[in-house]
Amino acid sequence: MPVDSIAKVLPDSRWIGARLARAILSLRQGTDPEVVARQLYESSSLTLTRSRELVPRLRDEPFTSFLDPRSRTGSAENPVTKLFPAAVTERRFLDKLDTLRATRPTVDYRDERFTGHTLVDFALVEGNQELPINVKNAGTRFESAERLVGLDPNDCAPIPAYKAYDAIEKEPNLLYLIAIDYTLIGRIQDHLITQFDSDEVVVWQLLNDYAGSHIRDAEDHFVYSMVNRHWNTFSAHVQRCRSG
């Protein structure tokens, strides 16, 4: 059942789907419905009244009936797939950072990706000096580059102007590190996603089909955990990435 897969793959997610799955499992284990309602209330964005209304229905109605279907338009199309290139690129960069630390022991780094910082992914640290870094994957050629900025598309990495202006205002020393790889998404689909086990496949499909409160928390947890879990097998398929 989906709830078992969610409990295994997203045990700590704040997504409402994960909270409801845990509530269903608690009911299965014989926990008093009032206790389950209070647990749901305390761990989610639901009110206590709403939690009490939902708990009796959780036993009898299909799990997906409690989730909001995704809108299949614009950037919401295949939302989880869109997050994988960034996670893969960041993981490759982490491997490079570990190599750098081994060869230059005075250098360290901080992982800022999950601190709520909107611009800095990593910070290189050496003594009192710090270098903020934003890691990106360029997965689509800037086909209009010659017309718009006078550069050949192969010589121009697409970065929206607003990101540059934002960096000037908030992080003037920010370094953008761009991995240019127009085939990465294809290798992710051909090699990474095919490694998912049965529970991961179920959760993968749920996250592509449904949303709900704190859905981004579930997406991030799923994407980054899948990249890390399957990295040893998958990493051979991303060696063609070029940094620029």
Side-chain angles (χ1 to χ4, degrees), residues 22 30 48 85 129 143 160 174 181:
R22 283 193 282 277
L48 181 56
Q129 296 181 320
E143 299 294 353
L174 183 69
D181 186 357

Side-chain angles (χ1 to χ4, degrees), residues 176-241:
Y176 278 104
L177 181 65
I178 305 168
I180 301 173
D181 186 357
Y182 303 138
T183 64
L184 178 57
I185 187 62
R187 296 203 299 282
I188 289 171
Q189 292 172 330
D190 292 342
H191 301 289
L192 177 60
I193 294 174
T194 57
Q195 295 178 42
F196 294 171
D197 65 25
S198 58
D199 291 311
E200 293 163 355
V201 168
V202 169
V203 174
W204 157 258
Q205 192 61 58
L206 285 171
L207 292 178
N208 274 282
D209 290 344
Y210 297 95
S213 63
H214 297 296
I215 183 63
R216 186 57 188 267
D217 178 81
E219 292 172 346
D220 285 345
H221 185 106
F222 180 80
V223 168
Y224 284 97
S225 62
M226 291 303 97
V227 169
N228 286 336
R229 177 178 177 185
H230 299 291
W231 186 248
N232 288 342
T233 303
F234 175 67
S235 59
H237 300 290
V238 296
Q239 295 308 314
R240 286 177 289 164
C241 291

Side-chain angles (χ1 to χ4, degrees), residues 68-210:
D68 300 323
R70 277 196 183 268
S71 172
R72 289 301 190 185
T73 58
S75 61
E77 186 68 29
N78 298 321
V80 182
T81 306
K82 292 179 181 296
L83 299 175
F84 273 107
V88 168
T89 302
E90 291 164 12
R91 174 56 198 258
R92 292 192 72 238
F93 184 61
L94 275 173
D95 287 350
K96 299 293 185 182
L97 289 179
D98 285 338
T99 300
L100 174 62
R101 284 200 310 172
T103 57
R104 186 164 175 166
T106 56
V107 173
D108 203 351
Y109 67 85
R110 291 196 311 272
D111 187 339
E112 301 278 5
R113 290 175 296 169
F114 309 108
T115 63
H117 203 304
T118 57
L119 289 175
V120 180
D121 293 323
F122 304 95
L124 272 179
V125 181
E126 187 170 33
N128 295 324
Q129 296 181 320
E130 291 191 9
L131 177 64
I133 299 173
N134 185 296
V135 178
K136 291 194 174 300
N137 173 70
T140 304
R141 274 173 35 111
F142 188 7
E143 299 294 353
S144 302
E146 188 168 356
R147 176 173 60 85
L148 295 177
V149 296
L151 294 173
D152 186 284
N154 292 320
D155 298 326
C156 184
I159 296 182
Y162 78 89
K163 291 185 179 292
Y165 286 121
D166 200 27
I168 291 172
E169 293 179 1
K170 299 176 181 177
E171 292 287 347
N173 295 322
L174 183 69
L175 174 67
Y176 278 104
L177 181 65
I178 305 168
I180 301 173
D181 186 357
Y182 303 138
T183 64
L184 178 57
I185 187 62
R187 296 203 299 282
I188 289 171
Q189 292 172 330
D190 292 342
H191 301 289
L192 177 60
I193 294 174
T194 57
Q195 295 178 42
F196 294 171
D197 65 25
S198 58
D199 291 311
E200 293 163 355
V201 168
V202 169
V203 174
W204 157 258
Q205 192 61 58
L206 285 171
L207 292 178
N208 274 282
D209 290 344
Y210 297 95

